Amino acid sequence: MTARYSGIGVSPGVAVGPVARVHGPVLPARAQGPVDAAAAAEDVAAALDEVGGELESLAARAGVSGAVLVRQARMVGDPALAALIRQLVRAGRTAARAAWEGFGAYRDMRASDPLRPAPDAAELDDLRDRVVARLLGEPPPGIPDPGTPYVLVARDLSPALTATLDPDRVLALVTERGGPTSHTAVLAKSLGIPAVVNAPGVAALATGQRVAVDGTAGTITADPDAETVGAMQRRGDRGPARMETGPGRTADGRPVELLVAVGGKSDLDEAREVGAEGVGVFRTEFMFLDRDEPPTVEEQVIAYREVFDAFPGRPVTARTLDIGADKPVPFVRLGDQPNPALGVRGLRVARRHPQLLVDQLTAIARAARETKADVRVMAPMVATTAEAAWFAARAHEAGITSVGVMVEIPAAALRAADLLRVVDFVSVGSNDLAQYAFATDRADGELADLLDPWQPAFLDLVATVLRAGAVVGKAVTVCGEAASDPLLALVLVGLGAAGLSMTPRLLPVVRASLARATSAQCREAAALALGADGPEEARHRVAALMDQ
Ligand code: PEP
Ligand code: MG
C-alpha cells in the first residue's frame, strides 16, 4: 500500500527516486564472547589504516576545504590511539568495543596533555564512529554515496553537511525534524534541492525504496504509482512564474527593489537569470562553514569579489560572519553554550574575536574597491544602538562608507529609529526576528506555527521598523524567508519596504505578485493583516482582497 507522509515544504520542486539515508553511528554491544585477541588487534589496525586512507582521499578531493579531514587522518594514525585500543583488546574486548572505549581513553589522555591542544570532540567522535562502523561491517556515518542519484532521508541535517550536498546526486532532501526557516532549509533552497522538513514517520522508509517528494506541497509518497508521479511532474513543470521581467514595481509603478539572498558564487547564475536587482543579504559565513582555520584576508577578497563582480553598478549587501548557534564553524570555537541561539552568535562573536571582524571588513573594503558593485556591509544579531554604532565605527575605519545592521532581535526592532540614526540602513532579518519574538527555535519544526510570518505580533515589529525608516528617511529592506511569500510581499511593501531579498528561485513569483497590486492595495493589505486575529485570518483577508 502506498504510504504518504506530510511535512513542511521548504524548497520547491518535485523529485522521484530511491531513498538513501544519512547513517548514524552504531554503538557496539558490550556483551562479549571469547575474543581472539590477535585477530581483533589485526582488525583494529586495518580499520584505523583504512579510515585514515579514506579521509586522506576525501581531503584531496575537497581541496582547500579539506583541512578538517587532513587533521582527522593524522589523528587516526596517532600510535598512542592504536596502543590504547590494543590494550583494551588484550583485556578481552571485541575489536569494535575496544575501538569505542579506546577513543574515549584517547580523548581523556589528550585533554590532560599539556603539550598538545585537545582535539575537537566532534571530530574525534566522527573518527570513532567511522572506525567502529568499519569494524562492524556497517556503512560509514554521514552522507551516503550509493553511486546513483537519490532522495536523502535524515533525522536532521546540519547546515555544514547540507552545504556539501551535490544537487546532481541528491534529488530531494527529507528530514524528520527541522524548522521551515532553519539554515538547513535555507541552504537546500539555495542549492535548488526540493526539500521537506519535519516529516514524522519517514524513518520507516527503507533504503532503496522509491519515493516521490513534493517540496512545494510538503509531501512524500512511498512507492508512488504512475498517476501520482505524472501529476507531480506536471505540477513541477509549471515551476515558478517567469513571465514578468524587469525591475520590481507595483501595478501603479512604485519601485520595489527585488534582491537576492546568496551564499556564494554557486547562487550567481540563477540570480542573474531571474534578473535580480542586487543582493539583499550575502551570507558570507556559508563559504567558510567547514574551514579549519579562519580564511585569510586575501582568500576573503577573492571570494567576495566573485560575488561583487556579478552585480556591476548594483547594490550588494555583504553581511559579516553570522557564526554560532546552528552555524558553528571549526575555525572559531565558542565552547559549550547552554543556549547558543541566545548566546555568542553573529556580531557578538567580535567581543571575543575582534580581529576576525577587522579582517573581514578589511577584505570586504578591498574587494569593494576592486569591483564596480555598490557594496554595503551589515552586521547580524545586533541588539542595541551602542552595538550598531560600534560596528559602524569599525566599518568606517576599514574604509566602508555604506553601513547597516540587521534587525533580528525585538529589542532592535523597538528601537529601530535610534539604530537608523547611527547607521545608513537596516534590513529586517525575518527568520531570526520571528524566532526571537516568539521564543521559538527556528530549527524546531514542531513549533513552526509560531514562526509563521503572518503572525500579527511579528508584523507589528516589522511595521515598527518600517515606520522608523520613513521617519528617519532611511531605507529599510526585508530579508529572510518572509520576503519570498508573494502575498506577504504585498503587506511588506504596504508597510513601506523599499526592497525585498529572497532566494533567486522565488523572485519571479514575487515580481509577478507585485505587478498585479497597486500601492493602495498594498497599504490596504498591510492594514488588513495587522488588524487580523491570527496568521490564518491575516492570510485569508489579503488573499480575498487580491481575488476581488
Ligand atoms: C534572517 O534571520 O532572516 C536572515 C536573513 O539571516 P539568516 O537566515 O542567515 O539567519
Ligand atoms: Mg538571521
Side-chain angles (χ1 to χ4, degrees):
M1 203 190 69
T2 300
R4 205 174 142 94
Y5 306 87
S6 295
I8 307 171
V10 293
S11 177
V14 299
V16 182
V19 166
R21 344 188 112 266
V22 170
H23 304 291
V26 255
L27 176 65
R30 198 176 279 276
Q32 303 157 16
V35 171
D36 177 344
E42 262 177 43
D43 290 348
V44 167
L48 292 172
D49 234 38
E50 284 160 13
V51 168
E54 178 185 281
L55 289 166
E56 271 165 19
S57 55
L58 281 175
R61 262 191 274 154
V64 281
S65 59
V68 178
L69 301 166
V70 170
R71 194 177 48 222
Q72 281 185 303
R74 223 177 290 134
M75 207 159 20
V76 82
D78 186 342
L81 172 66
L84 285 168
I85 301 177
R86 261 199 316 273
Q87 247 173 34
L88 288 157
V89 166
R90 278 200 295 272
R93 310 286 199 283
T94 61
R97 187 74 210 177
W100 179 272
E101 291 180 24
F103 270 94
Y106 180 73
R107 177 189 303 204
D108 295 344
M109 185 193 85
R110 289 287 304 269
S112 55
D113 183 343
L115 298 177
R116 288 196 290 174
D120 179 79
E123 287 168 24
L124 205 52
D125 286 352
D126 176 65
L127 274 182
R128 176 200 61 200
D129 296 341
R130 284 173 187 273
V131 172
V132 169
R134 189 167 283 267
L135 286 166
L136 293 174
E138 299 280 345
I143 304 292
D145 185 10
T148 50
Y150 58 93
V151 172
L152 182 63
V153 178
R155 186 161 184 270
D156 206 351
L157 206 59
S158 69
L161 270 186
T162 310
T164 64
L165 298 182
D166 176 355
D168 288 336
R169 283 163 174 240
V170 181
L171 300 168
L173 169 66
V174 175
T175 64
E176 251 193 300
R177 320 222 8 204
T181 57
S182 68
H183 287 103
T184 298
V186 168
L187 276 163
K189 209 189 279 182
S190 90
L191 288 167
I193 299 175
V196 179
V197 301
N198 201 39
V202 291
L205 293 169
T207 298
Q209 189 171 7
R210 199 158 164 270
V211 290
V213 180
D214 185 333
T216 311
T219 58
I220 302 107
T221 311
D223 307 314
D225 53 28
E227 203 183 318
T228 310
V229 172
M232 271 183 49
Q233 277 165 348
R234 278 192 297 283
R235 269 203 309 281
D237 286 346
R238 259 181 262 141
R242 288 189 184 251
M243 57 284 183
E244 309 281 349
T245 53
R249 51 188 67 246
T250 57
D252 56 331
R254 174 179 156 191
V256 180
E257 250 178 348
L258 292 176
L259 307 165
V260 279
V262 301
K265 64 176 180 181
S266 56
D267 295 320
L268 297 178
D269 284 348
E270 196 163 22
R272 267 189 294 246
E273 216 178 279
V274 299
E277 295 173 60
V279 175
V281 54
F282 171 16
R283 291 180 165 105
T284 54
E285 68 282 355
F286 277 6
M287 291 191 290
F288 307 118
L289 285 176
D290 64 348
R291 285 295 298 259
D292 191 23
E293 299 293 332
T296 63
V297 171
E298 289 67 32
E299 279 177 295
Q300 292 186 60
V301 172
I302 293 168
Y304 302 153
R305 266 205 58 171
E306 273 177 326
V307 172
F308 297 170
D309 280 344
F311 292 93
R314 303 303 317 165
V316 177
T317 304
R319 178 179 68 185
T320 52
L321 296 170
D322 181 20
I323 53 186
D326 69 331
K327 284 180 287 190
V329 293
F331 64 87
V332 182
R333 306 236 185 271
L334 296 168
D336 268 346
Q337 303 187 63
N339 201 339
L342 300 181
V344 179
R345 173 194 167 183
L347 184 63
R348 299 167 181 192
V349 174
R351 295 175 184 225
R352 292 195 193 168
H353 302 283
Q355 195 58 37
L356 203 59
L357 178 66
V358 171
D359 285 352
Q360 185 174 26
L361 292 171
T362 305
I364 292 171
R366 202 180 293 167
R369 279 197 296 276
E370 292 172 8
T371 75
K372 295 195 168 61
D374 170 12
V375 176
R376 299 127 191 233
V377 72
M378 71 177 176
M381 279 295 279
V382 170
T384 66
T385 310
E387 286 177 333
W390 180 84
F391 175 72
R394 300 292 80 73
H396 291 148
E397 276 164 17
I400 298 166
T401 45
S402 183
V403 184
V405 295
M406 296 188 77
V407 175
E408 311 189 273
I409 301 177
L414 294 170
R415 303 306 293 241
D418 291 344
L419 294 184
L420 278 164
R421 289 195 181 95
V422 299
V423 293
D424 303 305
F425 65 93
V426 300
S427 186
V428 175
S430 61
N431 299 333
D432 277 312
L433 186 58
Q435 151 162 280
Y436 295 121
F438 286 85
T440 299
D441 190 334
R442 61 192 269 194
D444 188 350
E446 189 182 343
L447 302 171
D449 54 313
L450 295 172
L451 294 171
D452 190 332
W454 286 88
Q455 288 279 6
F458 168 78
L459 291 175
D460 276 345
L461 285 169
V462 178
T464 304
V465 183
L466 289 162
R467 262 197 306 271
V471 169
V472 181
K474 289 185 179 170
V476 178
T477 55
V478 179
C479 55
E481 304 322 287
S484 58
D485 173 336
L487 210 52
L488 191 60
L490 306 182
V491 173
L492 299 171
V493 168
L495 291 172
L500 302 172
S501 174
M502 64 209 81
T503 189
R505 201 157 297 238
L506 297 174
L507 189 143
V509 190
V510 173
R511 179 190 280 131
S513 175
L514 286 174
R516 281 199 307 272
T518 61
S519 312
Q521 279 175 314
C522 290
R523 282 194 298 275
E524 198 179 342
L528 287 171
L530 285 179
D533 269 345
E536 282 79 28
E537 189 187 331
R539 218 181 246 113
H540 284 139
R541 282 175 163 207
V542 177
L545 171 75
M546 296 313 298
D547 278 350
Q548 280 167 15

